[in-house]
Amino acid sequence: MSWDQNAHPNFAVPPMPSAPPPAPADPWRAFAVGFLNLSGLGLGYAVVRRWRLTIACLVATGILLAVALPADPDGVPGALLVLYLILLVAAAAHGARLGLRTRLAWLPSALVAAALSVVLLAVPAGGYLLYDQARDEATEQMLLDRLAAADELVKSTGTQTFDVAQPDYRRALAIYHGLAADHPTSRAAAEVPNRLRTYYTTVGAAYAKKNYCGAVAPLKYLRTVPHTMDKKALGSLSTWPDDRLATSLYECGTESMSGDSAAWTAQWGELLTTFPKSEQAQKVGPAIDTKVGEAVTAVGGSDPCAAVERLGTLSTQIRGVSGEGAGLTEALDQAADRADRNAASGTYNCGVDQYKDGSFSDAVTTMDTFIKDNPDSPKRSLARKVAIAAEVAQTVPAAGKRLPTTRSGGSISVTVKNDSPDKITVMFTGPVTGSFTLKACGSCSTYSALSSSLGLDSKPCSDSGKKYPQKTIQLPAGTTYFVHKSQGGTANTPASDTAKLEPGYIYTECAYTTSLGY
């Protein structure tokens, strides 16, 4: 049997379709494709064979990973993350639209694909958790690096003085404070209390070395740390510097006082003000009493003038220290008064020492001060004699070879006449010392020292026609030195005489004044 094509002239073979016909709409399939795209791997596009879109999703995710890894504390830039999320949502929506009428490849059913899409959401979720953990660890490492940097700042101070090291100390403290305050749950913050203990011992190292004066400034600085650091982080360190600072102020003040420095007044004043009830503050009164006692004892030693000066300085310094808070006001006042009294009475010893050393001008000034300041002293009479002898010795140095005594009178009469137009003070020293005043001789005149040396003037007290003011005194045998000093101001130079007195004679001494001209 044969087929006759001519018998059916209108028959034609239909053409093959260019693409599979759309599948019936399936919401589960749309859901599956959309959720598969939320994985960020473009799996939804893959199951509907949209390879270019699959690659685009992979590229976007790759860019995100390249930026995000390795994890750092700052994380992914917010703009990039927002853009990526927009792309994911767009891919999910677009995938859902494609999956609604597009058959799936490789998966047996839309329900299986939907279940798989939900399971695969664990991929980005798990990745996010892992990344968040990595970022937290990166943050911890960053904070630990900050902690190490602060530790290095403290360690690097080495042998630096506190003034030089203080900026580094402040920077390190700022880091410790930032870690404790801003990241309290971090591993670095947990180490801050231990680091602060090291910090305190490093800053206060001078105290451990018994460099008390050098320890004052750093310990005062450490007392300010609780103003910036949480007291919980500091713990017992909050009061760590207090006793050490009190000890340093006391010991440094002791060193200053021993070295005759005035710095002790400020150091002990600060101690009494800052730690008035401390054990160290209670030592201040006895220490001052001891120092005053040492100076009082030194008045009778080899350098009484220095001791007197020291007592006067101590009195002034003690009165500059406020002991009110420590209850030492009365004790300090008593110590200052004691120093004043002994400085005044010790002036006598100073004047005697100056006299013995040949400092006659100083001895006069010192003894005059003693006489003025000690009206009731039993040494006042002898001090006046030392002052007279010192003044005589300024003109006749030989007169100062022996210290005057309280001896007076004698068996030899000496009459002193005043041949001067000025009122004359006659001072004498030798076996006895004294002075008296003769009124001016109205008809007398000043002698020229130059004329006298040339023999042009008559001898003093030689005019029998004049009635010279005079006085007779009794002196013992021996050498007596006389100085006649004008009280009127017309004479330039005191006159002097040395008399060797012997028993059985009556002596006449002439007081007169001379000038340098004719």
Side-chain angles (χ1 to χ4, degrees), residues 152-202:
E152 185 59 31
L153 282 173
V154 175
K155 183 179 178 181
S156 67
T157 56
T159 58
Q160 295 176 352
T161 63
F162 175 71
D163 288 340
V164 174
Q166 188 174 3
D168 285 342
Y169 288 143
R170 292 189 180 279
R171 283 193 288 269
L173 184 63
I175 294 174
Y176 292 143
H177 175 263
L179 292 173
D182 301 335
H183 308 278
T185 60
S186 66
R187 297 200 300 270
E191 292 295 324
V192 167
N194 289 332
R195 297 303 200 276
L196 286 173
R197 278 189 284 273
T198 301
Y199 180 84
Y200 268 63
T201 55
T202 301

Side-chain angles (χ1 to χ4, degrees), residues 257-272:
M257 180 178 275
S258 299
D260 292 334
S261 168
W264 69 269
T265 57
Q267 292 149 358
W268 282 1
E270 184 173 357
L271 169 62
L272 296 178

Side-chain angles (χ1 to χ4, degrees), residues 22 30 43 52 94 148 210 354 360 374 445 448 483 511:
L43 295 179
R52 291 182 180 178
H94 184 247
K210 297 185 178 181
Q354 290 169 335
F360 301 119
N374 297 271
S445 60
S448 170
V483 166

